[in-house]
Amino acid sequence: SVYPNPLKQGQKLLISTSDIESGNITVTIYSTLGSKLSSNTYLNNSERRIEIDTKHMTNGAYILKVETVGISKSYTIIIE
């Protein structure tokens, strides 16, 4: 899951990775027009979450894609 959503600009977006066993997780953020804004790969750690800093993102809607071996999930996030 992704929370909080919606979130305020500059607030950290948290991605729960508790349903992912292990391995690398790629998180890609797209504009609603489909332009790739960022892509980072993380090692799933014992905290079972990833923090994304949103201070560089302006108000609006974004598509967040979370991928690992055999799993791909997309979320719409709103920054107010």
Side-chain angles (χ1 to χ4, degrees), residues 1-21:
S1 64
V2 174
Y3 56 95
N5 192 18
L7 66 154
K8 298 194 182 324
Q9 186 179 20
Q11 191 174 10
K12 292 203 184 284
L13 179 67
L14 302 173
I15 303 169
S16 172
T17 60
S18 59
D19 59 339
I20 299 171
E21 292 297 321

Side-chain angles (χ1 to χ4, degrees), residues 28-37 63:
T28 308
I29 299 174
Y30 297 92
S31 72
T32 54
L33 298 176
S35 298
K36 186 191 300 187
L37 303 176
I63 306 299

Side-chain angles (χ1 to χ4, degrees), residues 30-78:
Y30 297 92
S31 72
T32 54
L33 298 176
S35 298
K36 186 191 300 187
L37 303 176
S38 69
S39 184
N40 293 292
T41 301
Y42 303 87
L43 180 61
N44 197 12
N45 58 30
S46 60
E47 290 183 21
R48 307 303 247 173
R49 71 179 192 181
I50 296 170
E51 292 185 6
I52 305 292
D53 190 354
T54 64
K55 68 182 175 190
H56 64 283
M57 299 168 71
T58 59
N59 295 354
Y62 297 86
I63 306 299
L64 178 77
K65 190 171 186 180
V66 180
E67 298 175 283
T68 190
V69 176
I71 299 173
S72 180
K73 296 182 180 182
S74 294
Y75 304 90
T76 300
I77 58 171
I78 307 292

